[in-house]
Structures are given as structure tokens and as C-alpha cells.
Amino acid sequence: MRFRRRERGSEFSTVAHPGALEVGARSVTLPNGITASFAVVGYPREVGAGWLEPLLTYPGRLDVSLHVEPIPQAVAAKQLRRQLARLESASRADAEKGHLQDFSTEAAADDATDLAASLARGHGRLFKTGLYLTLHASDQEQLIAEAERVQALASSLLLDTQPTTFRALQGWTTCLPLASDTLRITRSFDTTALAAAFPFTSPDLAAPVGETAVLYGLNAASSGVVVWDRYAQDNHNSVVLARSGAGKSFFTKLEALRLLYQGVEVAIVDPEDEYARLARAVGGTHLRLGASGVRWNPLDLPANQGGDVLTRRALFLQTLVATMLGSPLTGHARAALDAAVSSAYQAAGITHDPSTWSRPAPLLADLVEALDAGEHGRELASQLMPYVTGSYREIFDGPTSTTPTGHLIVFSLRDLPEELKAVGTLLALDAIWRRVANPRDRRKRLVVVDEAWLLMKEPEGARFLYRMAKAARKHWAGLTVVTQDAADLLGSELGQAIVANAASQILLRQAPQAIHTIGDAFDLTEGERQFLLTAERGQALLIAGPASRAAFHVIASPRETSLITTDPAELAELDRYDPSAPVLSLETPDRSGDDEMDPL
């Protein structure tokens, strides 16, 4: 960049270099426009969080620059003593002369006293803060009109702005991202006031933020950011609803990845094997149910857990069998199954004595054999034969091949036939819940159920998911239900209960056929409905109660995008230039690396 000063009589006085600037008294003329800068010299007495938001959302091009410099404690204390002495002296002088009380001076003295007490207790610090504005326009006429609007907006915020007369160049450079304050028109802020001045907040969200806050994206109505902490809410559950291609899986994977950064253990039920690239990148475990050699025994007993796990296992098997058959069990069938479960465990030497729980568990074939031996269980046994000797036997034909461990566990269901997707989802959730409910290993966990409609269409599966949503908070876990079929989730009482037990609700673009159902279920305004109907990919609406709603655009770094994208074109480009290594799979018996898979 070159600066050229016009000189009288110079042959170049009327020629502008492509990289030249013309510096005037109150403006700087650039090759592609003109700018004017303002310094804020007066501030309101009290401000709230995000009070600079109106300036950040100004419809024109306005640069807002906030320069902060900490003041040493000793210097701050000395300045406050001088300020207090000056204010008290002025008050006494007015009282001696019989003048009316100056309420502004009294208020300033009270503020200074409170601030001095806060500094003395170590509750805050003082900072030199400079706030500057640079306005851009295409010509002088537009600049004047925009300047009037900006100054009016600043006045509505009780800010006193003054143009940087004869320092226009310094005003422009001060607002550039150079971290250099050449104007040095500062005001002392304490920690609370300075924190309120930062734009890293959304005025639409009034929820607390804890240690595991996640950046969701940029506020669609402003330049602020949307940061959300599900573990700081009343419960840790969330629902993500969107039509196909709206970006719901991208958003879910991005949140899971950013929670992994903070040590949260994540378990995912993945129907389409979309999380394999992410699992490989972070050293997670990837279990492909239905693949050759992968076995899963639903009769396994969880280890190192208190209570009567044998009884709980018998109750889960009733849910599993009902899901396998696709219909609720009758009273006679339920009684026969309960008796057959006890008989199968007793035949394997497992009783209600905890010392027997470490013995090898019976298989599904043993359970069907026990059913067939009973008088009332033969019909149920014949219905379960496809899972023992028929087309669906491979996944149940033997003991569990491995136990999933690690900071990221992905259960892939792509290799399962469609008829077994709901059963596979239930088996994966059962294995995940064993880890979540382990009282000897309490930690923050996230459970993601992608394409939850696969399970919600089965009554028993929906009940299992509902119980999980109700109990997750007690075990420091959050449940994320992701689906593109809102009818299956909102069309039943159990689905509505799952939504009601989710403190965080994320809606992306919706189909016109579903917008009325979703709008009524989430009490959306007409503007919010139109936003969801016209939202681009990655635009979403976060709902956390009637008072906390924010529209945002999901943002991810290029590296994050390469790990979580599902766009076929992007995946083809990544595979062409960055062939990935084989995914870590639990299909092989080699578990030598488990001890090294610590949470991030």
C-alpha cells in the first residue's frame, strides 16, 4: 500500500495511483470507496450483556474496533484513590457554597467506591478500553448520510461519538485488524463492563454456559456467535430435526467432535456408516454390526455393576424379542419368555448370585431351545427361528466377538439388512447404556442416535429410547435424537415425550408437508416457519424454551469439514487427494491398542 500526498504544481496532483490514499480532514478516500472514523468518548452508566449488538448488526458496512489494555493493580488503585478524592472534594465544595446536590457526581462517587472495593477483594480488574467506528461508503454523499444514521444509532445506545477530525488516517488504521490503537482515546472499564462489551454472545439466548460450551455457528441475525453448553441446561438431551440434505448429520458430527476436544465420551448409532472417517481421525472404535465375523450376544451380563443385573437383562430381552417380532408380546408370551430366560441362565450356571455372573453367558440359540422346551413357548420359539437358524442368524451365531471401548464408539448398521436395522439400533443402545449406567465410571457422555425413526417405528424400541431420555441426566449423559422423519417422532406420545425431555432442540430446513406439524409442536412463529422453509444448508434454529431462540449458520474449519462431510462430491475429492487409511475396526481379535485410546 502506498500513500501519496498531493503537491501544488505537481504533474501527478490529479492522478491517483491504484494503491494510493487521499487523506482528508475527516475522511480517507480509498481506491474503491471512502471512509470516516469515529471515536466513542462517552458511555452509558450501566450496560447489559451484548449491548454492542446494535452496532454489530448495522445494515451498512461498519467496522467496530475494541482495543483493550490491562491496567496494573497498583496503578488502578492509585487512580481510583485520586478519583474518589476529586469527587468527594467537589461534593464538599458544593455543600459549603450552598449549591444544589450534583446527583451525577454522587453516582460517580458510589460507582468508584464499589469498584475500589471489588479491586481490593480481587473480584475484578481495570482495563483501558478504546471503542472506535469506521464507516465505509461509495461516495461522499452516501458517507454523510450513513454517518448521520450511525451517530443516531450510537446516541440511542447513550454513546457519545466524535469524528476523528484531522486524524482520519489514524482512525482508519485503528479499526484495521492490526492490534494497534493509534488514537489512544480510552476509558477505564472494569471486568464486568468489559465482558458485557464483547460481542461473543447472543442476546436471544438466556441460558447458562459451563465448561463444555460448543461453538454452534454464527448468529443469522447478527455477527455474533452462538455458543451452547448442553450440560449446563436442565437436562443434557437434544433433538435434531431436518429434511434430507439440510445438514443435520453434519451439525451432529461437528458437535460430537468439539465435545471430544473437551474430554466428553461419545457413543454413536450410525445407520449409514457416515462416522467412519471421524472415528479413524480421532482414534475411536468402529464396530460394524452385520459384517462378516462380527457376533453379538444379547444375553451377555454387564460387568462391574451393582444391583440385580440378571433381572434387568431379562427385562431387556423382552423388549428385544418384541422388536424382533415387530409386535408387542402377549401376556402368555411374556411369561413364557421370562421363564425361558431364567432356564437358559441356570443351564449356563448363572444365578442371582453375583459370583456366577462372570461365567460365559448362554446364546440366543439356548434361549430359543429353552422356549421350545416349554409348553407355552413353542410358538414364540418358532417365530425366533430366523434369528437362530435362518437368514438373520449370523449376528447372533456365537458369543460377542469384542467389547466396545474408547472415547469414541461408533456402531455402524450399514451391513445389516433393513429388517434388522431396528434390532441393531436397540442392541447398540443397550451396549451404550451399560457404559452410561456404570456407577463406577461416571463421566460426561454423549449418546447420538442418528436416523432415530428406525427405532421409533417399533413400539418397544420407542419405549426404550424414552426411558433412556428420562434417565440420561442422572448418569451425566446427554441423548441426541436425530431424524428426518418428524412424523414418526411427533406422531406418538412417546416421541412427543422424548422431545419434551430435550432441553436443546435444533431445527434445520423442513419440508412444506411437515412444517405445520413441527410449527405446532415447537410453537414456532410465522417468521420462524418461513425461515425453516427457506433455510439454506447448514442454517438452523436453536430452541431452548420460549425465551431462548436463536437462528444460526453452522460453521466448521476446513479440517473439520474433511472429517464430517457427507457430500459425495467432497468425499470423492478427498479420496482422490488424501486416500484414507483403513478404519480401526473391532471385527478383529487384535486389541493391543485399547490401552492407548484415552479421551482427547
Side-chain angles (χ1 to χ4, degrees):
M1 182 177 297
R2 296 179 60 188
F3 301 95
R4 182 180 297 275
R5 183 177 58 185
R6 289 188 176 182
E7 297 182 2
R8 191 172 184 179
S10 171
E11 60 178 327
F12 300 105
S13 59
T14 58
V15 179
H17 188 278
L21 301 178
E22 181 180 349
V23 181
R26 291 192 176 185
S27 63
V28 176
T29 303
L30 306 174
N32 58 350
I34 185 171
T35 70
S37 300
F38 302 86
V40 177
V41 297
Y43 296 84
R45 182 170 181 267
E46 295 182 358
V47 295
W51 63 282
L52 288 179
E53 190 72 17
L55 289 177
L56 300 174
T57 57
Y58 181 72
R61 184 181 173 186
L62 179 66
D63 297 336
V64 181
S65 180
L66 185 67
H67 292 262
V68 180
E69 180 183 348
I71 302 176
Q73 291 287 78
V75 176
K78 186 177 181 180
Q79 289 179 351
L80 281 174
R81 284 196 297 267
R82 289 180 178 177
Q83 181 74 359
L84 280 172
R86 185 165 54 252
L87 293 172
E88 291 178 1
S89 176
S91 297
R92 290 178 182 177
D94 290 342
E96 290 175 357
K97 295 178 181 179
H99 294 169
L100 293 177
Q101 185 178 8
D102 188 349
F103 293 104
S104 62
T105 302
E106 293 294 329
D110 293 340
D111 292 342
T113 301
D114 295 339
L115 183 56
S118 177
L119 292 177
R121 294 184 178 92
H123 294 168
R125 296 186 60 182
L126 280 184
F127 301 86
K128 288 183 180 179
T129 305
L131 180 59
Y132 311 100
L133 312 174
T134 293
L135 183 63
H136 296 257
S138 57
D139 53 43
Q140 185 70 33
E141 183 179 351
Q142 183 186 8
L143 182 67
I144 295 174
E146 292 287 339
E148 292 178 354
R149 284 192 284 267
V150 169
Q151 287 186 299
L153 176 60
S155 298
S156 68
L157 300 175
L158 302 181
L159 295 175
D160 183 8
T161 57
Q162 296 296 329
T164 57
T165 307
F166 298 113
R167 302 182 69 187
L169 180 61
Q170 289 86 341
W172 177 63
T173 57
T174 297
C175 288
L176 293 177
L178 303 176
S180 175
D181 184 0
T182 55
L183 289 176
R184 306 296 297 175
I185 303 175
T186 61
R187 177 76 173 267
S188 295
F189 277 33
D190 66 343
T191 304
T192 304
L194 181 61
F198 274 81
F200 303 133
T201 181
S202 175
D204 304 322
L205 296 177
V209 176
E211 299 177 352
T212 51
V214 171
L215 171 64
Y216 277 5
L218 295 177
N219 195 309
S222 70
S223 57
V225 297
V226 175
V227 178
W228 190 250
D229 186 0
R230 62 163 65 223
Y231 295 98
Q233 312 311 315
D234 295 337
N235 62 69
H236 316 324
N237 301 335
S238 69
V239 293
V240 182
L241 299 179
R243 63 183 296 178
S244 178
K248 61 183 183 302
S249 294
F250 187 96
F251 166 77
T252 304
K253 284 181 278 190
L254 184 63
E255 183 188 23
L257 177 60
R258 290 175 176 173
L259 285 174
L260 282 171
Y261 296 156
Q262 305 178 56
V264 177
E265 184 180 294
V266 180
I268 300 170
V269 181
D270 178 14
E272 297 298 333
D273 202 26
E274 296 180 0
Y275 295 77
R277 188 183 296 270
L278 176 61
R280 175 173 53 247
V282 302
T285 57
H286 184 226
L287 176 61
R288 295 171 55 194
L289 293 180
S292 178
V294 178
R295 301 288 182 266
W296 196 265
N297 183 13
L299 280 77
D300 283 339
L301 296 179
N304 301 323
Q305 294 193 18
D308 194 347
V309 297
L310 194 60
T311 300
R312 293 200 298 267
R313 186 68 354 205
L315 295 176
F316 168 73
L317 287 170
Q318 294 181 10
T319 301
L320 177 64
V321 170
T323 304
M324 287 176 167
L325 301 181
S327 61
L329 296 177
T330 64
H332 292 294
R334 193 175 296 273
L337 178 61
D338 186 68
V341 169
S342 299
S343 177
Y345 277 115
Q346 289 177 0
I350 300 175
T351 64
H352 289 276
D353 184 1
S355 62
T356 64
W357 295 348
S358 59
R359 297 174 180 174
L363 302 177
L364 184 62
D366 300 324
L367 175 61
V368 172
E369 183 180 349
L371 278 170
D372 193 46
E375 181 179 355
H376 301 289
R378 292 174 181 171
E379 181 180 355
L380 188 58
S382 63
Q383 292 177 314
L384 291 176
M385 290 307 294
Y387 297 94
V388 177
T389 60
S391 303
Y392 306 149
R393 71 181 185 279
E394 187 172 0
I395 189 175
F396 303 107
D397 191 17
T400 300
S401 56
T402 186
T403 301
T405 57
H407 55 274
L408 173 62
I409 305 171
V410 177
F411 290 86
S412 174
L413 310 180
R414 186 176 64 177
D415 295 320
L416 288 174
E418 289 298 323
E419 294 79 5
L420 283 182
K421 287 290 180 71
V423 175
T425 302
L426 188 59
L427 290 174
L429 285 177
D430 173 60
I432 293 170
W433 188 249
R434 297 186 196 184
R435 294 179 62 87
V436 170
N438 187 354
R440 302 184 183 181
D441 184 21
R442 295 191 182 277
R443 64 180 70 184
K444 287 184 180 179
R445 288 184 169 94
L446 174 66
V447 181
V448 178
V449 184
D450 207 341
E451 303 297 351
W453 61 271
L454 293 171
L455 191 62
M456 290 299 301
K457 65 183 181 180
E458 303 293 342
E460 292 297 328
R463 291 190 185 93
F464 185 88
L465 200 61
Y466 168 70
R467 292 194 296 268
M468 198 173 190
K470 293 280 287 185
R473 182 187 63 83
K474 301 177 182 178
H475 299 283
W476 211 5
L479 174 65
T480 296
V481 176
V482 186
T483 184
Q484 65 182 12
D485 197 335
D488 283 340
L489 190 62
L490 301 176
S492 64
E493 294 184 0
L494 290 176
Q496 294 175 9
I498 291 174
V499 173
N501 280 278
S504 309
Q505 301 161 355
I506 296 92
L507 306 178
L508 291 91
R509 183 169 183 171
Q510 301 295 325
Q513 296 82 357
I515 192 63
H516 295 293
T517 302
I518 292 177
D520 295 340
F522 293 93
D523 194 22
L524 300 180
T525 65
E526 187 61 32
E528 291 170 340
R529 298 185 188 211
Q530 291 300 319
F531 171 78
L532 294 179
L533 285 173
T534 60
E536 299 178 357
R537 178 181 297 182
Q539 290 184 334
L541 177 65
L542 170 62
I543 302 176
S548 294
R549 301 191 174 202
F552 65 94
H553 187 88
V554 178
I555 56 173
S557 68
R559 178 56 176 160
E560 289 174 323
T561 301
S562 68
L563 297 178
I564 63 181
T565 183
T566 56
D567 189 311
E570 293 180 0
L571 290 176
E573 195 72 12
L574 289 171
D575 292 338
R576 180 186 305 173
Y577 293 103
D578 184 20
S580 54
V583 177
L584 173 62
S585 175
L586 295 182
E587 302 164 15
T588 61
D590 182 9
R591 303 299 299 154
S592 59
D594 282 349
D595 295 337
E596 299 178 359
M597 291 195 301
D598 297 327
L600 294 176

